[in-house]
Amino acid sequence: MKQSWLFLVVLAGSGCALTDMNLRAPEEPEVSRRCDGTRPLITLDAPFDDNRPQKKRCGMKKNGYNMDTADILCSANPARYLAKLLAAELDKAGFEVQYKTAAASSEGVQLNGQILQFFVEPKVGAFTFTPEADVHVRLSATSASGLKAERDFYVKWEETSMVGTEDNFQIAADKATFGVVINMAQAVQELIQRYPELKTRTSGTSTQGQPCS
């Protein structure tokens, strides 16, 4: 009886295992706002540097024999949308975010990122099908005052199911992406708290952020 059940599970997922799929860029997650009333300046170098081992695809599909059968492609470059998501999170958290350009202010914190891994693949078990997403970003922070900091952010997310569907791959990728973005945004907040001098501006936009309720 168990063998028949396993056969049906593998058979149900075998069709989509042979066709390529595209991962969508996720919607923005939500991060806690800062509550000190300041609006520190962040300059973000976007897109991030793309240093993934496999740049032509964002993952793979496998059949019931654990063989690579199809590609998982990204509809948008994760090096671009991860930077965009981080900018959105920092803005919601009360930072003034600008992108790095020749005319950008040199005040505040300068952020540079590189993607070291972005890959989704399934773990095919006897009775489960588990898409597993790995997202790894290295973020560097510098300032004109001499700050130099670097930190790696790595999240693995597993989305376990009985039958493999493309939705499971998307959910795993979204959850891992959200985890990395939120962790990066919170780390920037912690960095600002550690170096209060980075909260203030000498000129330009007001430092007053939105009050917390």
Side-chain angles (χ1 to χ4, degrees), residues 178-197:
F178 292 160
V180 165
V181 170
I182 289 173
N183 289 346
M184 287 192 294
Q186 291 176 341
V188 172
Q189 295 195 50
E190 293 170 2
L191 191 67
I192 294 295
Q193 292 298 325
R194 188 177 302 174
Y195 299 98
E197 66 273 15

Side-chain angles (χ1 to χ4, degrees), residues 16 20-21 31 37 54-55 58 61 65 70-71 110 115-116 124 139 141 148-149 152 161 164-165 183 190 193 198 210:
C16 66
D20 293 347
M21 70 165 284
V31 73
Q54 298 189 49
K55 297 181 182 179
C58 289
K61 291 183 177 181
Y65 299 100
D71 291 334
Q110 316 285 316
I115 299 184
L116 303 178
V124 182
L139 196 64
K148 290 185 179 180
D152 281 25
S161 61
T165 68
N183 289 346
E190 293 170 2
Q193 292 298 325
L198 297 175
Q210 305 230 343

Side-chain angles (χ1 to χ4, degrees), residues 127-158:
F127 302 104
T128 57
F129 185 91
T130 306
E132 180 181 85
D134 293 277
V135 180
H136 183 186
V137 177
R138 181 169 294 156
L139 196 64
S140 300
T142 60
S143 74
S145 61
L147 171 69
K148 290 185 179 180
E150 184 175 271
R151 182 170 167 182
D152 281 25
F153 299 87
Y154 173 77
V155 172
K156 177 189 292 289
W157 186 273
E158 296 182 349

Side-chain angles (χ1 to χ4, degrees), residues 4-211:
S4 298
W5 186 19
L6 175 59
F7 174 75
L8 289 174
V9 170
V10 173
L11 182 62
S14 62
C16 66
L18 301 176
T19 58
D20 293 347
M21 70 165 284
N22 286 303
L23 286 176
R24 303 181 304 275
E27 300 295 327
E28 296 176 5
E30 190 70 37
V31 73
S32 299
R33 291 190 298 150
R34 293 170 52 257
C35 297
D36 64 5
T38 64
R39 193 164 171 81
L41 177 64
I42 300 291
T43 301
L44 186 63
D45 194 358
F48 290 158
D49 294 332
D50 191 349
N51 294 326
R52 292 174 292 155
Q54 298 189 49
K55 297 181 182 179
K56 293 183 178 180
R57 64 178 184 172
C58 289
M60 69 170 76
K61 291 183 177 181
K62 295 179 180 178
N63 60 17
Y65 299 100
N66 216 35
M67 298 170 58
D68 184 350
T69 56
D71 291 334
I72 297 177
L73 308 171
C74 280
S75 58
N77 190 335
R80 186 173 299 278
Y81 68 72
L82 274 164
K84 181 180 178 181
L85 289 173
L86 177 58
E89 288 308 291
L90 292 173
D91 178 71
K92 287 186 290 187
F95 291 88
E96 180 184 348
V97 182
Q98 65 177 1
Y99 289 105
K100 185 176 181 180
T101 64
S105 171
S106 61
E107 294 184 56
V109 177
Q110 316 285 316
L111 292 180
N112 300 80
Q114 54 178 312
I115 299 184
L116 303 178
Q117 183 62 282
F118 190 103
F119 204 77
V120 187
E121 63 179 295
K123 294 195 300 184
V124 182
F127 302 104
T128 57
F129 185 91
T130 306
E132 180 181 85
D134 293 277
V135 180
H136 183 186
V137 177
R138 181 169 294 156
L139 196 64
S140 300
T142 60
S143 74
S145 61
L147 171 69
K148 290 185 179 180
E150 184 175 271
R151 182 170 167 182
D152 281 25
F153 299 87
Y154 173 77
V155 172
K156 177 189 292 289
W157 186 273
E158 296 182 349
E159 189 66 24
T160 302
S161 61
M162 294 297 297
V163 179
T165 68
E166 293 192 346
D167 286 343
N168 299 126
F169 288 100
Q170 185 69 56
I171 292 171
D174 288 352
K175 293 291 187 179
T177 298
F178 292 160
V180 165
V181 170
I182 289 173
N183 289 346
M184 287 192 294
Q186 291 176 341
V188 172
Q189 295 195 50
E190 293 170 2
L191 191 67
I192 294 295
Q193 292 298 325
R194 188 177 302 174
Y195 299 98
E197 66 273 15
L198 297 175
K199 293 181 181 181
T200 58
R201 301 280 304 278
T202 58
S203 62
T205 305
S206 169
T207 62
Q208 293 302 311
Q210 305 230 343

